[in-house]
């Protein structure tokens, strides 16, 4: 390095780097540092170039690891950086480009070294390297200044106090990135770190007073989405896409931390790297999420999580309770707008989840908004494109919906918002539909995708929970949404009969039944034709009669087969029988959703009654089913009541005439004939399941 521009390939031979990592001690007052820090070279623009940088500098870094206990050059470099940061604010005001450029370069070198040190050694050894001074070999002072703690405090001061200008943009990004690299120790441990240097320094001591200010600054960086300055706004060169060299370096580390947060997932796909318009906002968001998800120390809770849980709106003039530490205020309207605009990134979705789940002030504010479609539509689009998303991104979007549907006001209001021309929904042209009906369509589509592809129990359970929370508030359902609710239920009813047929009559050779169940789609007259057929009627009658005697034993055997705990005398059930529990669970939940809607908002949903009557033959088969008899009472009553009114009206009725009869019948149906059933709201609770991954992981 030095005053001349360098290429990555020349770094191992660079005389200044050799001196830094060599056996000769360099005083912090030596002119060498000005020469070392006066470098520039084109920043890597791809993962390949970043790998080349690491390969080119690894020998230098390892040489420093070996020689630093005798030379203390790492400590000298950090002291040079610390002394420069004391004048950084004044340099920014005076537009001292050269001084800021060299300070930026010092931080870049520190971060590169820090990444290698963290990869190569334990936290204890890392901390020890910060204590070595220019003394006899291997000697260090236990009462010397704690450079590691001082460096962290300095970085926090730099992030929070240095004004964001064109000439300070890059160093602000790199200060945040250096903190991300520092917190990457978790990547090299299989166990969750509960006692680490991050707890020692970030949760107590001189760093603690910066907690609320740091969280607030990182949030505002995310809100403002400041783009990098144009080329020529500073001395050191800049990437065409706005990212610095260190941004690329730390971005790789942040990606690893993201993997730790999400624990991967069934069917996970590598996230496509979006083009970042604001490296500062992206790195601020990553650091904020890492800090928020640090585990509590043994004696103190995570102060950064406390700050995120308690901040209030700038328009809220009520005093903070004395029991709430690290509290601050922020503009909720600006934060809401940024969250709505940035949901294409899984980091922003994680932030939205964190705020909704942990900050009651934010949750109350968002649920009171009259433009909830701006937030809900991006979430629905994530779920709709489930094939293109990481499983953890899809799951977070679903949990956000589940949290929102816990509120009755939200469940009512989404049916009052009318949307036009949803272009990303391709199954059917939706020229006009309510937000609530669109939500139902997308969630059912997600359940169907999960049941046929990923087959993750948590995912379909939470999808059904969101629909169940909404069911009592269904209003004016779009005809396609009503049809999908009924047809999806019928899909599983058909599958259920098919599995029972194979289970109880394995040698029936009923090829016609097997063919019908394996080829039929969810829509069209073919289903009605089949359900009216003698084949299904006779099989359903036989199956349900037998089921009342054998059902519990069969389900028990299916569960044992799934767990691999069958005894040697038991015959393992085939694969199709092992789905029996799951199918029955989905059927019951869908029937409860339909029942809840009919009981609480029948007069608001003629399209649902129409769809139910259209498929009534299949539902009538299940009125005697031992597992569904209780939940089928209201459904059977509605089918019987409206079927008789249609029969009285004559044959060959148009769709419009049928809907008119339904609307008239809703008024005539005595309300006391329907057994009132309420589905208790299913609340999201973090647990240790595969997908309940947020919190207490780092």
């Amino acid at each position: 390095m030095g005053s001349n521009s360098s290429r990555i390939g020349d770094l191992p031979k660079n005389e200044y780097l050799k001196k830094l990592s060599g056996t000769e001690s360099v005083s912090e007052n030596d002119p060498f540092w000005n020469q070392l820090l006066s470098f520039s070279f084109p920043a890597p623009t791809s993962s390949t170039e970043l790998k080349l940088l690491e390969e080119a500098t690894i020998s230098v870094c390892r040489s420093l690891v070996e020689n630093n206990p005798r030379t203390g050059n790492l400590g000298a470099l950090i002291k040079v950086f610390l002394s420069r940061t004391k004048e950084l604010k004044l340099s920014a005001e005076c537009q001292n480009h050269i001084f800021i450029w060299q300070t930026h370069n010092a931080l870049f070198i520190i971060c590169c070294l820090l990444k290698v040190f963290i990869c190569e050694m334990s936290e204890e050894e890392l901390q020890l390297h910060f204590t070595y001074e220019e003394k006899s070999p291997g000697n260090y002072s236990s009462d010397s200044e704690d450079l590691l703690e001082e460096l962290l405090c300095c970085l926090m001061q730099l992030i929070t106090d240095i004004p964001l200008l064109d000439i300070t943009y890059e160093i602000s990004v790199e200060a945040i990135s250096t903190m991300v690299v520092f917190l990457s120790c978790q990547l090299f441990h299989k166990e969750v770190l509960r006692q680490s240097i991050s707890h020692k320094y970030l949760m107590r001591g001189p760093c603690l007073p910066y907690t609320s200010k740091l969280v607030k600054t990182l949030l505002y960086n995310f809100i403002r989405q400041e783009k990098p300055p144009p080329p020529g706004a500073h001395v050191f060169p800049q990437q065409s896409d706005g990212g610095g060299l260190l941004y690329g370096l730390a971005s790789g580390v942040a990606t690893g931390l993201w993997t730790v947060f999400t624990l991967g997932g069934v069917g996970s796909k590598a996230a496509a790297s979006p083009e970042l318009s604001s490296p500062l906002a992206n790195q601020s968001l990553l650091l904020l999420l890492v800090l928020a998800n640090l585990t509590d120390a043994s004696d103190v809770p995570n102060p950064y999580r406390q700050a995120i849980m308690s901040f209030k709106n700038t328009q809220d003039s009520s005093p903070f309770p004395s029991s709430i530490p690290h509290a601050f205020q922020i503009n909720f309207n600006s934060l809401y707008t940024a969250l709505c605009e940035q949901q294409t990134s899984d980091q922003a979705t994680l932030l939205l989840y964190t705020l909704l789940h942990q900050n009651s002030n934010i949750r109350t504010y968002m649920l009171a908004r009259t433009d909830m479609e701006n937030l809900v539509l991006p979430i629905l689009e994530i779920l709709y494109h489930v094939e293109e998303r990481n499983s953890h991104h899809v799951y977070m979007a679903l949990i956000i919906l589940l949290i929102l549907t816990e509120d009755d006001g939200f469940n009512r209001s989404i049916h009052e918002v009318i949307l036009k021309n949803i272009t990303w929904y391709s199954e059917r042209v939706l020229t006009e539909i309510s937000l609530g009906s669109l939500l139902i369509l997308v969630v059912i589509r997600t359940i169907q995708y999960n049941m046929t592809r990923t087959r993750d129990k948590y995912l379909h359970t939470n999808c059904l929970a969101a629909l169940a929370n909404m069911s009592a508030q269904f209003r004016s359902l779009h005809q396609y949404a009503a049809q999908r609710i009924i047809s999806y239920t019928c899909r599983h009813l058909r599958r259920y009969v098919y599995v029972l047929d194979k289970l109880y009559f394995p040698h029936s050779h009923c090829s016609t039944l097997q063919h019908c169940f394996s080829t039929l789609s969810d829509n069209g007259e073919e289903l009605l034709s089949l359900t009216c057929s003698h084949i299904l009627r006779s099989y359903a009658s036989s199956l349900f009669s037998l089921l009342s005697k054998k059902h519990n034993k069969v389900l028990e055997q299916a569960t044992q087969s799934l767990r691999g705990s069958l005894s040697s005398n038991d015959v393992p059930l085939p694969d199709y029988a092992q789905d029996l529990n799951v199918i029955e669970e989905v059927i019951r939940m869908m029937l409860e959703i339909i029942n809840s809607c009919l009981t609480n908002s029948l007069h608001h949903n003629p399209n649902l009654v129409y769809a139910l009557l259209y498929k009534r033959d299949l539902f009538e088969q299940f009125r005697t089913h031992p597992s569904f008899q209780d939940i089928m009472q209201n459904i059977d009553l509605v089918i019987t009541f409206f079927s008789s009114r249609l029969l009285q009206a004559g044959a060959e009725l148009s769709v419009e005439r049928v809907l008119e009869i339904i609307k008239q019948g809703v008024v005539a149906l005595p309300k006391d004939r329907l057994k009132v059933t309420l589905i208790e709201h299913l609340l999201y609770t973090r647990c240790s399941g595969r997908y309940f991954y947020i919190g207490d992981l780092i």
Side-chain angles (χ1 to χ4, degrees):
M1 295 189 177
S3 58
N4 295 325
S5 296
S6 304
R7 294 180 306 168
I8 291 179
D10 297 331
L11 294 180
K13 304 175 184 177
N14 187 280
E15 58 179 300
Y16 297 102
L17 289 179
K18 285 185 176 181
K19 185 173 181 179
L20 173 66
S21 60
T23 58
E24 178 185 350
S25 297
V26 183
S27 169
E28 59 190 273
N29 299 317
D30 196 300
F32 160 80
W33 298 109
N34 284 331
Q35 298 170 328
L36 172 69
L37 301 179
S38 299
F39 69 86
S40 62
F41 54 82
T45 57
S46 66
S47 58
T48 302
E49 293 180 359
L50 287 171
K51 186 172 181 62
L52 290 176
L53 172 65
E54 292 185 10
E55 292 174 350
T57 56
I58 190 65
S59 60
V60 174
C61 295
R62 287 176 176 171
S63 178
L64 182 62
V65 171
E66 180 181 351
N67 295 320
N68 186 60
R70 293 183 294 275
T71 64
N73 284 346
L74 176 63
L77 172 61
I78 292 172
K79 289 178 181 179
V80 169
F81 170 73
L82 293 175
S83 65
R84 284 176 168 270
T85 55
K86 295 176 182 177
E87 305 175 32
L88 198 58
K89 191 172 184 179
L90 180 61
S91 299
E93 295 172 355
C94 299
Q95 296 287 304
N96 190 337
H97 292 247
I98 301 296
F99 186 87
I100 295 175
W101 170 46
Q102 292 182 332
T103 308
H104 162 274
N105 287 346
L107 182 56
F108 164 68
I109 296 175
I110 290 171
C111 188
C112 288
L113 294 173
L114 182 61
K115 182 180 180 185
V116 175
F117 274 56
I118 289 175
C119 293
E120 297 280 327
M121 62 188 67
S122 66
E123 286 189 299
E124 292 73 17
E125 292 174 308
L126 173 66
Q127 189 173 17
L128 198 59
H129 270 274
F130 277 77
T131 65
Y132 291 130
E133 298 177 356
E134 184 185 354
K135 293 185 178 182
S136 56
N139 187 26
Y140 60 92
S141 173
S142 60
D143 58 353
S144 62
E145 56 187 331
D146 195 332
L147 281 182
L148 185 53
E149 183 176 45
E150 192 173 350
L151 174 62
L152 279 173
C153 286
C154 178
L155 292 174
M156 296 175 79
Q157 291 174 354
L158 195 159
I159 295 167
T160 58
D161 295 343
I162 300 301
L164 187 61
L165 308 171
D166 283 354
I167 60 174
T168 61
Y169 187 95
E170 285 292 331
I171 196 170
S172 296
V173 172
E174 293 175 2
I176 294 170
S177 299
T178 303
M179 288 197 68
V180 173
V181 172
F182 170 72
L183 292 167
S184 66
C185 294
Q186 176 66 72
L187 294 176
F188 306 97
H189 293 78
K190 294 181 180 180
E191 302 294 330
V192 175
L193 289 179
R194 301 187 182 277
Q195 294 293 334
S196 67
I197 54 177
S198 60
H199 293 97
K200 178 179 179 181
Y201 294 126
L202 294 176
M203 298 190 184
R204 54 175 65 85
C207 293
L208 188 60
Y210 289 94
T211 297
S212 58
K213 195 172 184 181
L214 177 63
V215 172
K216 184 176 182 179
T217 300
L218 295 176
L219 278 172
Y220 269 124
N221 286 345
F222 169 73
I223 290 171
R224 291 165 179 155
Q225 295 288 316
E226 292 281 356
K227 296 183 178 180
H234 37 56
V235 174
F236 44 91
Q238 181 160 335
Q239 273 185 178
S240 59
D241 66 354
L245 171 63
L246 187 59
Y247 166 72
L249 178 71
S251 182
V253 174
T255 300
L257 285 173
W258 178 246
T259 302
V260 175
F261 281 144
T262 58
L263 297 182
V266 177
S268 290
K269 298 180 181 179
S273 299
E275 184 176 345
L276 297 172
S277 60
S278 177
L280 178 65
N282 185 70
Q283 293 300 93
S284 296
L285 177 55
L286 289 172
L287 177 57
L288 181 65
L289 294 173
V290 173
L291 291 171
N293 287 285
L294 289 172
T295 55
D296 295 333
S298 58
D299 53 345
V300 292
N302 180 349
Y304 304 94
R305 187 183 300 132
Q306 287 184 319
I308 288 175
M309 292 173 59
S310 60
F311 70 84
K312 299 194 304 183
N313 195 353
T314 49
Q315 297 180 354
D316 188 347
S317 58
S318 61
F320 284 103
S322 57
S323 59
I324 300 180
H326 316 297
F328 63 92
Q329 291 179 295
I330 204 167
N331 189 307
F332 277 13
N333 182 63
S334 300
L335 178 58
Y336 178 81
T337 301
L339 287 168
C340 293
E341 294 174 349
Q342 300 300 320
Q343 286 307 304
T344 52
S345 77
D346 39 10
Q347 299 97 315
T349 305
L350 175 55
L351 177 63
L352 174 59
Y353 158 81
T354 302
L355 295 177
L356 276 174
H357 184 248
Q358 299 187 7
N359 191 313
S360 59
N361 300 320
I362 280 284
R363 185 168 59 253
T364 301
Y365 173 84
M366 289 186 176
L367 289 171
R369 296 280 303 203
T370 57
D371 59 348
M372 278 297 290
E373 67 272 16
N374 292 336
L375 183 66
V376 175
L377 280 174
I379 298 299
L380 294 182
E381 195 166 355
I382 293 169
L383 294 175
Y384 185 78
H385 296 293
V386 58
E387 301 92 341
E388 304 169 10
R389 301 289 183 178
N390 284 317
S391 58
H392 54 257
H393 197 185
V394 171
Y395 199 78
M396 279 187 297
L398 176 59
I399 294 303
I400 288 169
L401 287 184
L402 181 56
I403 292 173
L404 292 174
T405 59
E406 293 171 7
D407 182 77
D408 283 336
F410 171 83
N411 295 332
R412 285 191 297 269
S413 65
I414 57 176
H415 292 287
E416 299 169 1
V417 178
I418 304 301
L419 308 170
K420 296 182 183 294
N421 299 319
I422 308 300
T423 56
W424 48 263
Y425 194 93
S426 59
E427 271 81 354
R428 178 171 293 197
V429 177
L430 300 176
T431 55
E432 186 172 287
I433 189 172
S434 70
L435 180 60
S437 291
L438 180 63
L439 193 156
I440 293 168
L441 289 175
V442 173
V443 171
I444 289 178
R445 185 180 185 273
T446 305
I447 302 173
Q448 187 168 337
Y449 175 84
N450 177 66
M451 293 290 286
T452 57
R453 303 284 185 86
T454 57
R455 303 176 69 84
D456 183 275
K457 180 180 178 181
Y458 287 113
L459 191 63
H460 86 254
T461 298
N462 284 282
C463 283
L464 292 170
L467 291 177
N469 286 346
M470 297 170 57
S471 59
Q473 307 295 335
F474 284 170
R475 296 289 188 275
S476 303
L477 290 181
H478 189 277
Q479 60 181 9
Y480 185 47
Q483 176 190 333
R484 292 294 292 131
I485 292 173
I486 300 301
S487 65
Y488 183 72
T489 307
C490 290
R491 178 190 183 93
H492 286 283
L493 291 174
R494 297 198 311 269
R495 177 66 181 169
Y496 189 73
V497 174
Y498 172 67
V499 171
L500 290 178
D501 171 70
K502 298 294 291 183
L503 191 62
Y504 290 121
F505 305 109
H507 305 296
S508 64
H509 303 291
C510 184
S511 58
T512 304
L513 185 63
Q514 180 176 356
H515 174 74
C516 290
F517 278 117
S518 62
T519 60
L520 282 183
S521 61
D522 283 337
N523 47 34
E525 288 71 23
E526 54 188 355
L527 171 63
L528 188 59
S529 175
L530 173 66
T531 55
C532 291
S533 70
H534 174 73
I535 296 175
L536 182 58
R537 288 181 181 278
S538 61
Y539 266 91
S541 176
S542 301
L543 287 172
F544 297 159
S545 175
L546 185 60
L547 189 64
S548 61
K549 301 178 181 179
K550 286 187 161 184
H551 187 59
N552 291 335
K553 183 177 181 180
V554 170
L555 289 183
E556 181 181 354
Q557 187 180 359
T559 303
Q560 291 175 345
S561 179
L562 282 171
R563 295 173 179 172
S565 57
L566 287 173
S567 66
S568 58
N569 296 326
D570 291 326
V571 178
L573 290 177
D575 291 340
Y576 56 78
Q578 296 179 7
D579 291 336
L580 203 60
N581 270 323
V582 176
I583 297 172
E584 183 169 315
E585 177 186 331
V586 172
I587 290 174
R588 182 166 185 86
M589 200 69 178
M590 290 302 298
L591 291 177
E592 287 183 349
I593 290 167
I594 296 170
N595 187 43
S596 175
C597 177
L598 296 178
T599 304
N600 296 284
S601 54
L602 177 65
H603 56 293
H604 289 297
N605 294 289
N607 285 329
L608 185 67
V609 177
Y610 182 96
L612 184 61
L613 292 174
Y614 188 75
K615 304 289 181 70
R616 60 183 178 271
D617 288 333
L618 183 56
F619 282 90
E620 287 172 351
Q621 311 301 324
F622 282 79
R623 65 169 58 147
T624 59
H625 190 289
S627 295
F628 307 133
Q629 278 182 323
D630 57 332
I631 205 70
M632 282 295 299
Q633 291 181 14
N634 286 340
I635 297 175
D636 187 50
L637 174 62
V638 169
I639 291 174
T640 303
F641 178 82
F642 286 98
S643 294
S644 64
R645 295 184 72 89
L646 292 177
L647 188 62
Q648 294 172 10
E652 298 183 2
L653 301 174
S654 65
V655 174
E656 292 75 14
R657 177 58 180 153
V658 172
L659 286 173
E660 182 182 349
I661 294 172
I662 291 173
K663 292 176 182 178
Q664 294 171 353
V666 166
V667 178
L669 178 65
K671 299 297 184 293
D672 57 355
R673 293 184 61 184
L674 291 174
K675 181 181 178 182
V676 178
T677 59
L678 295 176
I679 300 179
E680 293 187 8
H681 276 192
L682 303 173
L683 308 181
Y684 167 65
T685 304
R686 286 192 312 198
C687 70
S688 58
R690 178 177 182 81
Y691 279 100
F692 293 84
Y693 50 81
I694 310 299
D696 293 347
L697 291 178
I698 291 187

